[in-house]
Amino acid sequence: MSQFADVFLEFIDQWGYLAVAVLMGLENACIPIPSELILGFAGYMIYIDRMTFIMATVAGMIGGMVGSILTYYVGHLGGRPFVDKYGRYFFIMKSHVDIAQEWFDKYGVKAVFFSRMLPVVRTFISLPAGFAHVDMKKFVFYTFVGSLPWTMLILAIGMMLGEGWKVMMDVGHEISIAFCVIMVVIIAVLYFKYKKKKDKRRQLK
């Protein structure tokens, strides 16, 4: 898909938020369009006052959620045999599905949250969630809370880099891993603080 990068950028340049939503929908439907390309360029568009941060976030999230839900239903209704047989016609590589499946098997539905911040797994995790018939409300919740910080981060970096936004195309994986580690640390700290306060309340009773 890299050879189509200029086409995607032109699409965003011409159609703005609609293009961001459509491309993010395709990316989350396992079509190999890097979110760093879509959101990074959208961040640049914010930098030159062609978009706003809030509206670009909304567009990216709407597209991402729609694409993720559609992919979930492909897994839910078709199952792994269907994806293995026909996935290649839609650029879905079996090796990528295997990676996502390993994550899901290891962490369950929570993998839907954490994987949204990791390369490759981010877009494919919807399939094993569908295979497992995960409750739709849980799937939507974890997808949303996992996708929102990632979407905002990439937009913000693209905005801050300005003319140099394409740097993200070279270091996107490193950003993903670093961000995931930071999120895990933050969640762990918040959890232990909550647990500590809860234990203190019990002692006071």
Side-chain angles (χ1 to χ4, degrees):
M1 280 290 174
S2 59
Q3 63 267 37
F4 296 109
D6 290 339
V7 175
F8 298 144
L9 297 182
E10 181 66 22
F11 182 38
I12 297 171
D13 185 56
Q14 293 294 320
W15 292 92
Y17 302 119
L18 176 62
V20 171
V22 169
L23 292 174
M24 285 300 292
L26 292 174
E27 192 250 356
N28 281 274
C30 302
I31 305 300
I33 307 171
S35 57
E36 293 88 351
L37 177 74
I38 305 164
L39 299 175
F41 185 65
Y44 168 69
M45 296 285 276
I46 297 169
Y47 170 77
I48 59 174
D49 293 324
R50 292 274 305 280
M51 287 185 181
T52 67
F53 185 81
I54 292 175
M55 288 303 297
T57 300
V58 170
M61 287 299 297
I62 289 174
M65 292 301 296
V66 170
S68 296
I69 291 170
L70 287 174
T71 306
Y72 168 90
Y73 276 115
V74 169
H76 181 86
L77 299 173
R80 182 68 191 259
F82 175 84
V83 173
D84 284 346
K85 186 174 182 179
Y86 298 105
R88 64 181 182 274
Y89 298 114
F90 301 94
F91 307 101
I92 298 175
M93 294 177 62
K94 185 178 180 296
S95 59
H96 290 168
V97 180
D98 288 340
I99 294 170
Q101 187 67 63
E102 287 176 12
W103 266 78
F104 188 84
D105 289 344
K106 188 172 183 179
Y107 300 106
V109 69
K110 292 178 183 177
V112 176
F113 167 70
F114 286 109
S115 66
R116 295 295 170 182
M117 309 163 209
L118 292 172
V120 179
V121 190
R122 177 168 57 244
T123 53
F124 287 88
I125 196 65
S126 299
L127 288 172
F131 298 156
H133 293 192
V134 166
D135 178 73
M136 175 53 73
K137 290 180 182 177
K138 286 185 178 180
F139 174 77
V140 169
F141 173 75
Y142 281 117
T143 297
F144 183 85
V145 297
S147 299
L148 182 59
W150 169 257
T151 300
M152 295 177 72
L153 174 72
I154 300 303
L155 282 171
I157 293 175
M159 184 173 60
M160 289 186 288
L161 290 174
E163 300 285 347
W165 70 271
K166 287 186 179 180
V167 169
M168 279 193 295
M169 298 301 296
D170 298 321
V171 296
H173 287 189
E174 288 78 4
I175 292 173
S176 297
I177 294 168
F179 185 57
C180 191
V181 170
I182 291 169
M183 287 297 294
V184 168
V185 171
I186 290 173
I187 291 170
V189 169
L190 292 175
Y191 171 76
F192 284 118
K193 282 187 176 181
Y194 167 77
K195 194 170 182 297
K196 194 174 180 180
K197 285 182 180 179
K198 194 174 181 181
D199 290 341
K200 281 186 178 179
R201 286 197 212 103
R202 284 178 179 172
Q203 290 172 4
L204 292 172
K205 287 181 180 180

